[in-house]
Amino acid sequence: MKRALSVFFKGVGMGAADAVPGVSGGTIAFVTGIYEELIDTIKRFGPSAIGVWRKDGFKALWQHLNLAFLLPLVIGIFASLITVAHLVTWLMGTQPLLLNAFFFGLVVCSGVIVARRITEFKIGYLIWLALGVVLASKLPSLLPAASDASWVLVAGGAIAISAMLLPGVSGSFLLLTMGLYGTVMTGIKSFDVQLILLFGSGCAIGLFTFSRLLSWLFRHHHTATLMLLTGFILGSLPVLWPWRTITDYRIGPKGEQVPLDYQFMTPDTYTSVTGEPAQLWVAIAVMLAGILLVWFAGERSSSDDSSKNSRKEQEHE
């Protein structure tokens, strides 16, 4: 029960992060120590699951699909999207600078936590780090603007969920770049069944294909994959810098402004250029709150991992 409750709240954190363009639920999963288990669990859904059910029954299927972990996580994500995400999207409209400051601190510390899990280093791994930075920063500008066609919602779901599995790559931001963010969020809030089914089917396609690729990478190139993910996290930081203005954008299919490039400024320059208060000390305070939140979550996750490893060693003995 304690494990299920812990996983549920980690799902709540993932759902809240996924609602914000620029933040990835995968980052929360990684920092809280459930990332690789999540990828491995998603990968188990497929033809092999049917074989397990036919041969050994429902109990074996439950264990094979790791549903004791997955169900509390999914419930937490959806509970967050219905509740916490409303607060987060409201803050995006009323206090975007402070919200970005909080998530900037959160993502900075996430990069440190992920980097600490790299136990070996070779110069060649820097290529993977650089690749992650470049992909995270350039991918949004490479995606085309979406249309209103139904297949676009399916494709958008597949792209967004694949990005959400990557720490540092925001599925919400990619939806915003494609001009689908407002449509999807409005549809979820109003419970538009047709939209949810189309978008959900795309998510399912993305989950069951991309998770297998990530699982393979972790098995065969673990350290290089960690470097790549660290690069993704670092590459996402500019999008969350609190003191910035949009310098390039395009108009989405519903007339919304889709940002493509920003001018990044110091707090003083931000005030002189925009005429808006920089809220420097409040921004620093919420930035530190984001750093501390992730740090303690990461430290607790490391402690849990150590406890699990100790129990496994005792069992083998």
Side-chain angles (χ1 to χ4, degrees), residues 36-311:
E36 292 189 47
E37 182 177 2
L38 174 61
I39 297 300
D40 181 65
T41 299
I42 295 171
K43 188 198 70 170
R44 297 182 189 184
F45 283 79
S48 62
I50 299 175
V52 170
W53 174 63
R54 285 180 173 176
K55 182 180 178 182
D56 299 314
F58 181 76
K59 185 176 180 180
L61 178 65
W62 177 277
Q63 294 175 341
H64 174 76
L65 297 179
N66 198 14
L67 294 180
F69 161 80
L70 190 61
L71 286 181
L73 184 73
V74 171
I75 292 170
I77 291 173
F78 278 102
S80 178
L81 288 174
I82 296 170
T83 55
V84 179
H86 283 265
L87 172 62
V88 171
T89 51
W90 176 76
L91 288 172
M92 284 174 57
T94 58
Q95 296 290 343
L97 189 151
L98 296 181
L99 187 66
N100 281 332
F102 173 77
F103 280 112
F104 185 86
L106 185 150
V107 174
V108 164
C109 193
S110 298
V112 174
I113 295 292
V114 174
R116 286 177 65 199
R117 298 185 182 182
I118 297 172
T119 55
E120 60 175 319
F121 179 78
K122 297 178 183 177
I123 294 296
Y125 288 146
L126 292 176
I127 296 174
W128 292 94
L129 181 70
L131 179 62
V133 171
V134 171
L135 284 176
S137 58
K138 297 298 182 183
L139 184 59
S141 62
L142 299 177
L143 292 176
S147 66
D148 289 328
S150 296
W151 69 268
V152 173
L153 281 171
V154 177
I159 292 171
I161 202 69
S162 297
M164 287 173 185
L165 290 176
L166 289 171
V169 181
S170 168
S172 295
F173 188 69
L174 295 187
L175 286 177
L176 184 66
T177 302
M178 295 176 68
L180 286 174
Y181 181 76
T183 301
V184 171
M185 291 303 292
T186 301
I188 291 174
K189 290 177 181 179
S190 62
F191 203 71
D192 184 333
V193 176
Q194 182 180 2
L195 179 143
I196 291 173
L197 287 175
L198 288 170
F199 187 74
S201 64
C203 289
I205 293 170
L207 276 176
F208 300 142
T209 54
F210 196 63
S211 62
R212 282 165 169 74
L213 172 61
L214 282 175
S215 179
W216 183 87
L217 286 172
F218 270 114
R219 283 199 315 272
H220 298 282
H221 306 282
H222 191 270
T223 302
T225 304
L226 286 178
M227 292 292 285
L228 180 69
L229 297 181
T230 303
F232 278 129
I233 291 173
L234 294 177
S236 72
L237 283 174
V239 179
L240 296 170
W241 180 248
W243 300 284
R244 67 171 194 247
T245 57
I246 297 173
T247 58
D248 187 22
Y249 65 90
R250 67 180 177 216
I251 303 300
K254 294 184 180 293
E256 69 274 25
Q257 190 182 79
V258 180
L260 295 177
D261 199 9
Y262 300 92
Q263 178 186 355
F264 304 101
M265 297 170 280
T266 63
D268 288 341
T269 305
Y270 177 83
T271 300
S272 63
V273 170
T274 66
E276 299 178 5
Q279 304 182 75
L280 177 60
W281 295 112
V282 182
I284 290 175
V286 297
M287 201 178 288
L288 287 173
I291 290 173
L292 291 173
L293 178 65
V294 172
W295 183 262
F296 286 122
E299 288 298 305
R300 178 165 182 173
S301 170
S302 298
S303 300
D304 291 344
D305 289 343
S306 298
S307 299
K308 288 178 185 176
N309 291 336
S310 298
R311 285 197 298 269

